[in-house]
Amino acid sequence: MSESKCESSSWSQKLPIDIARRGPVPPAKQCMHVKYYCEENVWKLCEAVNIDRPEELEFCSVVFISNEDRAVPIWHQKIGKPDEPVVWDYHVIFLWRLEGESYVYDLDSSLPFPCKLEMYINEAIKTDDILQPQYHRFFRVIDAKIYLRHFASNRKHMLDSTGAWRQEPPPYPCIRTEQTDSNFQDFLSLDPNIGYGTIFSLKSFIKKYALHENNGLS
């Protein structure tokens, strides 16, 4: 994951303390986090849930945010300014559903960990209406069990033309499966016939996962 530099709402929402405690993911300080490797950070969250709270894994999903131009604006990222987006080539977040509500875990965000999906959309995603078409975001949603079992990356996308690391890799070995050492690009594809999960536009993603009365979304 790499970024470039490219508006803001004052919508706010407090998360009940018990939700953070009931959530399947450990506190942020206890999570593996390597900058610019969000796809692996989220895989590690899936791994942690599978070890500590396996009964919750079926309520968890992984969301790849990307587009054809590999330019997706996300606000409230720690490396950026709250009122300006960071434009990633892609971004990956962890989603947990509880009693009809969805909660986002984003280790790169300055928003609460977790925060309600409605808050994340209003504050971090906003709307495609304020963006040029090349910046419109698409969302590939994969069951956490599937992601944990099938994701693989040899990290070659993080090498420059000389073979040097553009960003320092995680300290653990590359994530592999019995079938492949890398299918990472499949998760970024917008072709529904490639890879795992379901692809949504922003509006269809909201309708599926965050459309509740009085949530400020449309």
Side-chain angles (χ1 to χ4, degrees), residues 87-170:
V87 182
W88 297 110
D89 48 353
Y90 64 92
H91 193 47
V92 188
I93 59 176
F94 183 97
L95 197 66
W96 173 58
R97 289 181 66 78
L98 173 70
E99 299 172 355
E101 297 284 355
S102 297
Y103 299 88
V104 172
Y105 293 82
D106 182 357
L107 287 162
D108 296 299
S109 177
S110 58
L111 294 174
F113 185 88
C115 69
K116 291 188 74 171
L117 178 58
E118 290 87 352
M119 179 184 186
Y120 192 83
I121 289 172
N122 274 286
E123 296 290 331
I125 302 296
K126 301 187 184 290
T127 172
D128 281 342
D129 294 342
I130 62 174
L131 302 173
Q132 295 295 319
Q134 65 266 31
Y135 294 111
H136 289 187
R137 284 71 51 93
F138 291 86
F139 302 76
R140 180 185 284 267
V141 182
I142 309 108
D143 289 345
K145 287 183 179 180
I146 298 295
Y147 190 67
L148 190 58
R149 187 180 308 125
H150 293 289
F151 173 79
S153 175
N154 56 20
R155 301 174 182 160
K156 286 184 178 179
H157 64 290
M158 296 301 288
L159 298 175
D160 64 21
S161 59
T162 70
W165 292 110
R166 291 191 288 144
Q167 303 292 341
E168 281 300 309

Side-chain angles (χ1 to χ4, degrees), residues 23-40:
V25 173
K29 290 183 179 179
Q30 297 177 22
C31 296
M32 170 65 69
H33 178 238
V34 180
K35 288 183 179 180
Y36 304 103
Y37 289 84
C38 57
E39 67 279 5
E40 296 197 31

